[in-house]
Amino acid sequence: MSQKKLKIVVFSDYICPFCYIGFYRVEQLKKNYDVEVEWRPFEIHPETPKEGTDLNNLPYPKEYLDMMKANIKRLADDVGISLKLSDKLPNSRLALYVSEFARKNGKFEEFHKLVFDSYWKEGKDIGDQALLLALADIVGFNRKEILDYVSSEEPKSELMKSLKDLRQYGINGVPTFIIGDKIVEPGYPICDIFRLH
């Protein structure tokens, strides 16, 4: 009898560096384990203006930001990726909306990786509609259908549902991994808990 696939649900946002690192950790796990992965949207900075904001305008001391950047680099090195840390924090809502369109149309994984790489490898503004439509072109989507979808209530409803689902676990941060029946909160090494299976 074949063993049932283990399901991993990941709550994440494209502007979260730890989510991007988590994406590569999940890709490594998929090479070694028979898993089913579901990515769920979570907007960590809904207050960010549509045009984005300078990271230096965030209410954190410079020392904290420097420490966070060093920590991000260390974790990225650990999974063998290099990041291009932008000075601009984009508004991620539109990217999350278009990724829901990609999910509905069977190309979520492909689009998901394009958005992550555009921001973290290339330093591009993923809050920019023109960039997102160009990425959607790569996976073969119809621009009008995307624009109709993101202007509807559906993607907002999906985002709110995901937020509600995550908060039912008493968690407000990402990345959060639910592996089988175990919750891996932000900051916990996913590979360690995965070894329990």
Side-chain angles (χ1 to χ4, degrees):
M1 187 170 130
S2 63
Q3 195 174 17
K4 187 180 175 185
K5 271 191 177 185
L6 184 65
K7 183 164 184 179
I8 303 177
V9 178
V10 191
F11 291 85
S12 77
D13 192 349
Y14 291 114
I15 58 172
C16 163
F18 305 106
C19 296
Y20 185 57
I21 292 163
F23 169 76
Y24 276 91
R25 289 198 184 279
V26 167
E27 289 302 294
Q28 289 170 351
L29 289 174
K30 283 162 69 175
K31 292 175 184 174
N32 299 310
Y33 298 92
D34 187 18
V35 296
E36 175 191 346
V37 183
E38 178 187 355
W39 291 88
R40 300 284 303 279
F42 184 92
E43 188 179 15
I44 56 176
H45 284 294
E47 77 286 355
T48 306
K50 279 189 175 181
E51 65 277 8
T53 189
D54 191 304
L55 277 177
N56 296 318
N57 292 336
L58 294 177
Y60 303 115
K62 182 180 182 302
E63 296 76 20
Y64 173 80
L65 289 174
D66 289 345
M67 181 183 72
M68 187 175 74
K69 285 178 181 178
N71 194 28
I72 291 166
K73 184 180 185 310
R74 179 182 59 77
L75 290 170
D77 288 346
D78 191 42
V79 292
I81 57 174
S82 59
L83 305 181
K84 184 173 185 178
L85 296 177
S86 174
D87 290 328
K88 182 179 181 181
L89 180 73
N91 180 307
S92 63
R93 185 173 303 164
L94 188 58
L96 293 169
Y97 281 10
V98 180
S99 73
E100 286 306 305
F101 177 88
R103 188 192 312 275
K104 279 175 61 77
N105 289 276
K107 293 189 176 179
F108 176 83
E109 288 193 13
E110 192 177 347
F111 184 76
H112 184 63
K113 184 176 188 306
L114 282 173
V115 177
F116 260 145
D117 285 347
S118 291
Y119 184 53
W120 291 108
K121 281 190 175 175
E122 300 168 28
K124 292 181 178 175
D125 179 5
I126 60 165
D128 178 54
Q129 179 176 285
L131 171 68
L132 293 170
L133 291 174
L135 296 178
D137 284 344
I138 293 171
V139 296
F141 288 144
N142 178 290
R143 289 188 175 208
K144 183 182 183 307
E145 289 178 3
I146 291 172
L147 294 173
D148 287 347
Y149 178 78
V150 299
S151 62
S152 74
E153 285 298 308
E154 189 173 339
K156 180 181 178 182
S157 173
E158 287 296 330
L159 195 58
M160 292 300 102
K161 181 181 183 303
S162 190
L163 173 64
K164 182 181 175 185
D165 288 350
L166 183 59
R167 287 189 171 159
Q168 283 182 339
Y169 294 105
I171 298 168
N172 291 305
V174 291
T176 294
F177 301 84
I178 300 172
I179 303 175
D181 59 357
K182 294 181 173 61
I183 299 171
V184 186
E185 296 187 46
Y188 198 95
I190 178 176
C191 291
D192 286 356
I193 196 158
F194 203 83
R195 289 191 191 104
L196 297 173
H197 293 276

